[in-house]
Amino acid sequence: MEYKSTLKEIEERFDQDVTRFSNLDTGQQTTLDALFNMELITDGIVAVYPELNHVLDIGCGAGNYPVKLAQKMSGFDCTLVDLSQPMLEKAQERVQEVITGEVKILKGDFRTAELKENHYDVIIATAVLHHLRDDQDWEHAFKKLYSLLKEGGSIWIFDLVIHDHDAIQKLIYNNYYGKYLTSLKDESYRDHVFAYIEHEDTPRSLTYQLDLLKKVGFNSVDVLHKKLNFASFVAFKSGTTAS
């Protein structure tokens, strides 16, 4: 595998970007349909869990998803995990202002963090899993996430994906996604984004992730939305969900 950013390098980049990621409207401008998916995922959580107790947000950034969720229901406890301490502090401040439950923060990598097993109703994982590396890392991470959920719990994912066919991958990235990035600013901005994706990220295809979720034990997976190289999807751990 070509050289990829270390966790420390990723942490340092996000340490410098707290202000942008604290904005619900612009925090994920390089991401297609970011605001739509935030609404969709939080609406989905409310629909499935009208009585929500424990939420875990891994790679929480500045806490946008729990903040949005709290606009729809506020009586839940929230655990926030991120590599960046400045991000965590901003997320804690923002989330605690809008929920009535407890907010806990944990600096570090969710793969090794000491988190309660069989504890969370919902795990939110947005724009974080593409930092995983080889197949072993992906499987280990998904097993860990499965172990943290209660029976009937679920993980809600929104992330960058690739396409397994090389020609389709090149078409979507170079033509469609590239044009979108250029429209945000210019071609140099497009090249900048492509460069840090190449340097920092190791995304997998949507089908790869859906299959892996089932392999590690999730009994039900569903695609919520896909647009070009971004997808949102959900997986449920067996058991009775909230009704």
Side-chain angles (χ1 to χ4, degrees):
M1 179 185 296
E2 70 274 15
Y3 173 77
K4 292 286 186 178
S5 297
T6 65
L7 289 179
K8 184 63 176 176
E9 289 169 333
I10 294 171
E11 174 186 341
E12 289 171 350
R13 181 169 79 82
F14 284 105
D15 281 351
Q16 305 303 315
D17 224 0
V18 175
T19 300
R20 178 169 69 88
F21 279 98
S22 300
N23 189 313
L24 288 175
D25 295 321
T26 63
Q28 294 286 348
Q29 66 176 356
T30 61
T31 304
L32 298 174
D33 287 351
L35 294 178
F36 173 81
N37 281 283
M38 189 184 298
E39 293 286 358
L40 179 60
I41 285 176
T42 52
D43 279 346
I45 293 169
V46 172
V48 177
Y49 304 97
E51 296 182 4
L52 185 63
N53 295 311
H54 301 290
V55 173
L56 170 64
D57 189 346
I58 60 169
C60 66
N64 284 344
Y65 270 75
V67 168
K68 176 59 70 173
L69 181 60
Q71 293 175 1
K72 302 168 184 181
M73 62 188 321
S74 59
F76 57 89
D77 293 335
C78 188
T79 300
L80 305 167
V81 180
D82 203 273
L83 295 175
S84 169
Q85 186 66 31
M87 284 286 192
L88 276 174
E89 291 172 0
K90 175 56 72 172
Q92 183 180 35
E93 173 190 327
R94 296 174 71 221
V95 176
Q96 193 65 81
E97 286 180 351
V98 292
I99 72 169
T100 58
E102 182 181 9
V103 179
K104 297 179 181 179
I105 61 172
L106 183 59
K107 182 184 183 302
D109 183 344
F110 79 89
R111 292 170 292 186
T112 54
E114 293 187 7
L115 294 161
K116 293 182 181 179
E117 294 191 351
N118 305 303
H119 179 69
Y120 301 97
D121 301 294
V122 162
I123 297 175
I124 297 171
T126 61
V128 62
L129 298 178
H130 61 263
H131 294 308
L132 299 173
R133 296 304 183 216
D134 59 20
D135 290 344
Q136 183 178 6
D137 191 21
W138 275 87
E139 184 164 348
H140 172 263
F142 276 28
K143 285 179 177 177
K144 171 71 177 281
L145 295 168
Y146 180 85
S147 74
L148 299 176
L149 287 167
K150 295 177 180 177
E151 292 292 312
S154 53
I155 181 166
W156 302 74
I157 300 168
F158 174 51
D159 217 330
L160 174 73
V161 297
I162 60 170
H163 295 78
D164 291 324
H165 195 288
D166 288 343
I168 295 175
Q169 172 69 6
K170 289 177 182 177
L171 171 69
I172 288 177
Y173 264 63
N174 296 338
N175 289 37
Y176 289 91
Y177 188 46
K179 288 178 181 177
Y180 169 75
L181 293 173
T182 301
S183 74
L184 292 177
K185 292 185 181 179
D186 50 33
E187 290 183 353
S188 64
Y189 180 72
R190 174 202 63 195
D191 295 343
H192 167 72
V193 173
F194 279 164
Y196 80 66
I197 288 175
E198 179 64 27
H199 184 60
E200 191 172 287
D201 305 337
T202 321
R204 291 290 191 271
S205 69
L206 177 57
T207 52
Y208 174 96
Q209 294 181 67
L210 296 177
D211 289 344
L212 185 57
L213 287 164
K214 289 183 177 179
K215 179 181 178 181
V216 303
F218 288 94
N219 70 312
S220 173
V221 298
D222 210 344
V223 177
L224 301 172
H225 181 70
K226 183 177 184 296
K227 183 172 182 179
L228 300 176
N229 50 316
F230 289 89
S232 59
F233 46 108
V234 59
F236 292 92
K237 189 171 182 176
S238 60
T240 303
T241 59
S243 59

